[in-house]
Amino acid sequence: MTDDMRADVPHTARIWNYWLGGKDNFAADRQVGDQVRAIFPVVIELAQADRQFLGRAVRHLTAEAGIRQFLDIGTGLPTQDNTHEVAQRLAPDTRIVYVDNDPLVLAHARALLTSSPEGSTDYIHADLHDPGTILAAAAKTLDFSRPVAIMLLGVMHFISDDDKLQEIIDRLLAAVPSGSYVAAANTTTAINGDTTAEAVRVWNIDAQPKLKLRSPERIAQFFDGLELVEPGWVSCSRWRPVPLPDGSLPIEVDQWCGVLRKP
């Protein structure tokens, strides 16, 4: 049995699921989740902001940019408003391919394959470190001669080598035509500084895989040459946010995001 499937080894997808209020987690996951939360209480808001950014980005890409194909890499455990659910509510003919290397996510992949009759969904068990395998398998569902939105949410920060990450991003973007998009996010310390850094240190003691913090400036550099969609690189909670009931904006969190177009 791999560490991914062991209940006694804390695991990223299950910890994230715990923070989002899900039930697909074990005591070891909740223990690390609580340790991080004790140091960094706004981690719940961060997890929620990341998920809500996915929904807003997919709605923008579907309704405003006219995208009908999504390659969602680093899917995580299914929850409410997965990419295909958001996109196909607006455009039932949308095609989505999910990618994750986690056997736990694979075990739950049936929940990601409930496509509308007009569209299509697929799940690929593969690793972001191997973009060639991802692209070859995704081509069975997606037409790479037409624009594709590549979703890199909650996955970039698990590749510690910047050069390797740049190589992967370049390979993915080279495979899609002009008019394609990428939505990306990476954890940073821009908002809460040392508090976030300490929470990540605790995370990296036991949880797998390890997480790498990056500055907003470094995150943006991975996508040089692309056209940045307004409002640019911001905290996930501030990307086209929905005001709270009192009219205020959600608090900023240390998850930096952007949506970009390939010219």
Side-chain angles (χ1 to χ4, degrees):
M1 180 181 294
T2 68
D3 284 352
D4 294 321
M5 300 298 285
R6 286 176 52 185
D8 61 325
V9 177
H11 192 267
T12 298
R14 296 193 303 252
I15 296 169
W16 204 257
N17 176 267
Y18 173 53
W19 285 336
L20 288 172
K23 298 180 180 179
D24 296 311
N25 50 75
F26 300 118
D29 308 304
R30 295 189 288 273
Q31 180 178 354
V32 172
D34 288 341
Q35 288 173 345
V36 172
R37 188 178 183 182
I39 299 166
F40 187 49
V42 296
V43 71
I44 305 301
E45 285 83 354
L46 186 152
Q48 293 171 341
D50 181 81
R51 190 69 192 179
Q52 291 162 3
F53 165 63
L54 181 146
R56 295 195 301 273
V58 171
R59 282 191 289 273
H60 165 76
L61 291 166
T62 306
E64 298 180 45
I67 294 294
R68 295 295 179 268
Q69 302 189 107
F70 289 83
L71 179 58
D72 186 335
I73 304 174
T75 301
L77 284 167
T79 182
Q80 292 183 334
D81 280 348
N82 300 293
T83 297
H84 74 283
E85 294 168 324
V86 177
Q88 289 182 347
R89 278 199 295 268
L90 296 166
D93 60 335
T94 303
R95 306 173 75 82
I96 298 94
V97 172
Y98 292 103
V99 183
D100 207 295
N101 69 345
D102 185 344
L104 186 68
V105 177
L106 176 63
H108 289 263
R110 287 187 302 274
L112 299 172
L113 300 176
T114 54
S115 174
S116 65
E118 301 92 335
S120 178
T121 63
D122 194 12
Y123 178 85
I124 302 169
H125 185 65
D127 194 303
L128 181 57
H129 285 88
D130 187 6
T133 295
I134 292 173
L135 292 167
K140 298 174 183 177
T141 301
L142 306 180
D143 177 359
F144 283 105
S145 70
R146 297 171 50 233
V148 176
I150 301 169
M151 312 297 288
L152 295 172
L153 306 186
V155 67
M156 288 171 52
H157 49 221
F158 294 124
I159 297 182
S160 60
D161 187 312
D162 283 9
D163 291 339
K164 180 62 176 178
L165 180 55
Q166 185 69 69
E167 177 187 327
I168 291 166
I169 291 170
D170 291 347
R171 179 75 184 279
L172 293 170
L173 288 170
V176 298
S178 173
S180 294
Y181 287 79
V182 59
N186 198 113
T187 306
T188 183
T189 56
I191 305 301
N192 292 295
D194 291 345
T195 303
T196 299
E198 176 61 13
V200 169
R201 187 193 68 79
V202 171
W203 171 284
N204 286 341
I205 292 172
D206 293 314
Q208 294 292 338
K210 308 304 181 187
L211 190 151
K212 180 170 181 176
L213 291 162
R214 292 185 171 97
S215 69
E217 294 77 17
R218 185 66 189 92
I219 298 166
Q221 287 172 357
F222 289 113
F223 302 96
D224 282 348
L226 301 186
E227 299 170 351
L228 193 55
V229 174
E230 290 294 331
W233 288 106
V234 293
S235 170
C236 279
S237 60
R238 296 297 178 89
W239 198 90
R240 304 193 177 194
V242 176
L244 299 174
D246 65 2
S248 65
L249 295 178
I251 64 167
E252 291 188 273
V253 298
D254 271 323
Q255 189 83 336
W256 223 245
C257 73
V259 176
L260 307 100
R261 181 182 182 274
K262 180 177 178 178

